[in-house]
Amino acid sequence: MTDPDDRFGMPASAFQAARDSHGWDSPVFRMGMYVPTHQEVATLPATQLLPIVIDWMWESPSELIPNNDQIAQLRTILRARPDATESEIRELIVACEEYLKV
């Protein structure tokens, strides 16, 4: 089983590099600097999860851009949720599928 606190395999060095180039004291602030944990993807309410995931996929700095394996893992977790058929979770699943096509 995967560590529930894992952030899709993103190493600490990637977060540090993103903070160094786009951190709080930088003149440039980027959305998408938060990568959710597996547990968060599995349990957060859809309204909280939606902006986190969308920002990670489309607004993250280069150091944190998710790869196809990470998005496939994300999609698998979303599909396993008990609310996977609700519109906002379904929207995230579709967003993952669209990301994988790019």
Side-chain angles (χ1 to χ4, degrees), residues 2-46:
T2 304
D3 175 4
D5 294 322
D6 177 61
R7 295 186 186 278
F8 294 88
M10 284 288 182
S13 59
F15 291 100
Q16 185 59 51
R19 279 191 298 277
D20 289 348
S21 62
H22 301 285
W24 301 112
D25 58 348
S26 169
V28 176
F29 178 75
R30 292 286 304 264
M31 299 302 294
M33 289 186 62
Y34 187 82
V35 177
T37 66
H38 285 239
Q39 181 71 21
E40 289 170 331
V41 172
T43 62
L44 275 179

Side-chain angles (χ1 to χ4, degrees), residues 39-93:
Q39 181 71 21
E40 289 170 331
V41 172
T43 62
L44 275 179
T47 54
Q48 283 182 272
L49 188 59
L50 185 68
I52 292 169
V53 169
I54 297 301
D55 284 351
W56 178 40
M57 286 194 298
W58 300 110
E59 301 296 333
S60 61
S62 60
E63 299 88 352
L64 299 175
I65 293 173
N67 63 36
N68 285 354
D69 290 338
Q70 291 164 319
I71 297 302
Q73 288 175 36
L74 174 69
R75 181 180 59 184
T76 297
I77 295 169
L78 291 169
R79 285 179 173 167
R81 288 176 59 124
D83 61 350
T85 59
E86 292 183 15
S87 65
E88 285 146 332
I89 296 299
R90 190 74 212 129
E91 183 180 340
L92 281 172
I93 293 168

